[in-house]
Amino acid sequence: MENLDNITKKDLLKETIQHIDIKQYDSTELIDAMRRMSFTSRDTARAADILTMMCREKDCTNILTIAGSTSAAGCMQVYVDMVRNKMIDVVVSTGASIIDMDLFEALGYKHYVGTKENVIPDTKLRELYIDRIYDTFIDEEELQACDQATCDVADMLDSRPYSSREFLYNVGKWLAEGHGVKKDSLIQTCYECGVPIFCPAFSDSSAGFGIGKHQWLRKKAGKPYVSIDSVADFLELTEIKMNCPESGLFMVGGGTPKNFAQDTVVCAEILGKEVPMHKYAIQITVADVRDGACSSSTLLEAGSWGKVSEELQQMVYAEGTTVIPAIVSYAYHNGCWKEREYKQWQKLFMR
C-alpha cells in the first residue's frame, strides 16, 4: 500500500465484519455430503451429529466454551443463536471473547476487515491507535470505552467480592436497562434467557483494566471496592454440574475455559459427590498436541482424568470460523432444540 504516511484511521476502519446468521443458511445438505467424505469433513459431520444429540436430550446441560477470536471474526451471532434457541445452557468464555469482543459490540462499536502482517506495518497501526487480531482491526479508543464500561458497572455495585458469573449478570442487566446499543449481544441474551456466563480468567481482558481502574480509584479514596472471586466461579459451575443429570461440551478452541468446564467433574468428587463424566464433547481447534498443553490435549486424554466420556466425543482440527457455522446450522435446521426448555441455571444462585 502506497503513501502510508498519509493514511488515516478512517481509511482503514471502513468495512465492518459481518457476523454470519446460521438461521439464514441451511447446511444440512453440506453436512450430509461431508459425512460420506474423509478427514476433517467426516469429523465435522460427526460433530454436527453429536451436537444434535446433545440438544435432543432434554435433561442434558450443554456448556459452550469459547477461547480465541471467533467472536470478533464473524461467529458472534452463532453463539447468540445457540443460547436464544436453547441449544446452550451455560457459557464459559475468555475475558477477551465476552468483554473485548461481545460487550464491545453491545456498546455499538464494530470489528473491521483488516489486513495481515506486513501489509500495514503494526507500528503504523499503533500510531493510529488501531489494534490488530490477525486480519481484523479494532479501534483502540473504542476499546478503552469498553474498559470504562466495566468500571462504570463496578462503581454501581456493592463493594464486595463477586464471581465473574455474578458480575456478568449485572453487565447483562445494565445492557438490558438501556446502556447497550446492539440488543442481541451474547451477554444480554444470556441475561434474558437465564444462562450463566463464567469467565475464569476475567482480569485478562478489558474487565481487568476497567475493574482495575475502579479498585485504584477506590483505594486512593480510602473506600472499599469490587473484586472478582475466581474460586467462587469454580464452585458455582461445579454446583451446576452436581445438579444436572448429564452434560455436554461444545468447545471452541481450548484455553482456560476448556479445562475449567471439564474440571467440574473432578471438583464435584472432591466436594463429596460422584457425578458422571461429561457425556458429550466436541472440540474445534488447530492446536498441536505435541506441546502437552491443555488447549491441545485430546478429549481421549481428558478421559484419563475422568472428565469426558469416550463414546460421544469428537475432535475437529479446523480453524473455528470455517466449521462452526456449518455444525451449528445443521443442528438448528434439524430442529432438535425445539422441545428443549431454558434451564435457567442463573436461578440456582438467586438466593
Side-chain angles (χ1 to χ4, degrees):
M1 185 176 291
E2 299 178 358
N3 300 320
L4 287 178
D5 290 340
N6 298 323
I7 201 166
T8 67
K9 180 181 283 191
K10 188 175 181 180
D11 293 327
L12 296 179
L13 303 184
K14 287 182 176 179
E15 184 182 355
T16 59
I17 296 293
Q18 300 298 306
H19 297 288
I20 192 167
D21 185 350
I22 52 97
K23 303 184 298 298
Q24 302 300 317
Y25 302 96
D26 187 346
S27 67
T28 301
E29 290 187 15
L30 173 65
I31 292 294
D32 285 344
M34 292 170 79
R35 189 175 289 107
R36 296 187 294 274
M37 296 170 67
S38 295
F39 311 149
T40 301
S41 292
R42 193 188 301 164
D43 292 342
T44 300
R46 187 164 188 268
D49 290 338
I50 292 174
L51 178 60
T52 300
M53 284 186 256
M54 288 166 59
C55 295
R56 264 205 197 104
E57 190 166 344
K58 296 179 185 178
D59 292 333
C60 183
T61 288
N62 296 333
I63 303 172
L64 169 67
T65 79
I66 312 172
S69 300
T70 52
S71 292
C75 288
M76 195 174 287
Q77 187 63 40
V78 177
Y79 305 138
V80 170
D81 287 334
M82 292 180 85
V83 170
R84 184 72 70 190
N85 293 290
K86 300 167 284 188
M87 302 166 76
I88 291 299
D89 308 297
V90 179
V91 175
V92 183
S93 174
T94 60
S97 291
I98 206 66
I99 299 294
D100 301 45
M101 299 173 197
D102 186 73
L103 176 59
F104 179 79
E105 290 212 357
L107 296 173
Y109 306 123
K110 300 292 185 181
H111 293 87
Y112 294 90
V113 175
T115 59
K116 302 171 188 176
E117 59 188 22
N118 300 325
V119 178
I120 306 291
D122 287 283
T123 51
K124 183 64 179 180
L125 294 176
R126 179 57 186 165
E127 180 185 315
L128 296 172
Y129 253 44
I130 295 174
D131 300 325
R132 180 171 68 88
I133 306 174
Y134 188 54
D135 60 356
T136 301
F137 289 162
I138 308 171
D139 187 329
E140 168 63 24
E141 291 174 289
E142 293 176 347
L143 196 56
Q144 290 180 4
C146 186
D147 303 342
Q148 184 60 46
T150 60
C151 181
D152 292 343
V153 173
D155 287 343
M156 293 165 44
L157 299 177
D158 293 336
S159 297
R160 61 174 177 81
Y162 291 76
S163 67
S164 67
R165 188 272 318 158
E166 187 177 15
F167 188 88
L168 287 166
Y169 172 85
N170 281 285
V171 175
K173 180 180 179 183
W174 181 78
L175 291 172
E177 288 172 346
H179 296 276
V181 174
K182 177 184 175 183
K183 301 305 180 185
D184 58 348
S185 68
L186 183 58
I187 296 176
Q188 184 172 339
T189 299
C190 286
Y191 168 77
E192 293 168 350
C193 297
V195 172
I197 306 172
F198 295 89
C199 188
F202 203 34
S203 295
D204 187 18
S205 69
S206 268
F209 298 127
I211 300 173
K213 179 181 179 180
H214 158 84
Q215 290 191 2
W216 174 259
L217 294 175
R218 289 296 180 93
K219 284 181 179 180
K220 286 181 69 175
K223 296 179 180 179
Y225 51 81
V226 166
S227 61
I228 302 299
D229 184 346
S230 63
V231 176
D233 275 329
F234 198 27
L235 290 176
E236 287 181 356
L237 185 57
T238 300
E239 194 171 351
I240 291 174
K241 176 60 180 165
M242 292 166 70
N243 281 275
C244 67
E246 298 288 357
S247 56
L249 304 171
F250 187 87
M251 296 180 289
V252 176
T256 305
K258 170 189 175 181
N259 200 51
F260 196 74
Q262 290 183 354
D263 270 350
T264 54
V265 180
V266 180
C267 187
E269 182 180 350
I270 290 171
L271 297 179
K273 182 170 182 178
E274 292 286 339
V275 298
M277 291 188 285
H278 295 294
K279 182 177 180 180
Y280 305 94
I282 299 159
Q283 184 183 2
I284 299 160
T285 183
V286 291
D288 190 326
V289 300
R290 291 174 297 178
D291 64 359
C294 178
S295 288
S296 61
S297 63
T298 64
L299 295 170
L300 286 172
E301 182 178 317
S304 75
W305 295 75
K307 300 176 183 179
V308 176
S309 180
E310 183 175 333
E311 183 180 357
L312 297 169
Q313 59 171 250
Q314 184 62 56
M315 301 287 299
V316 181
Y317 290 100
E319 189 276 306
T321 62
T322 64
V323 296
I324 291 167
I327 292 170
V328 180
S329 172
Y330 179 85
Y332 173 80
H333 289 281
N334 183 281
C336 54
W337 48 274
K338 291 183 178 179
E339 294 186 10
R340 287 174 65 87
E341 301 292 337
Y342 291 118
K343 292 191 170 50
Q344 298 282 341
W345 283 117
Q346 195 73 259
K347 290 182 179 179
L348 184 65
F349 310 108
M350 301 298 177
R351 51 178 185 254

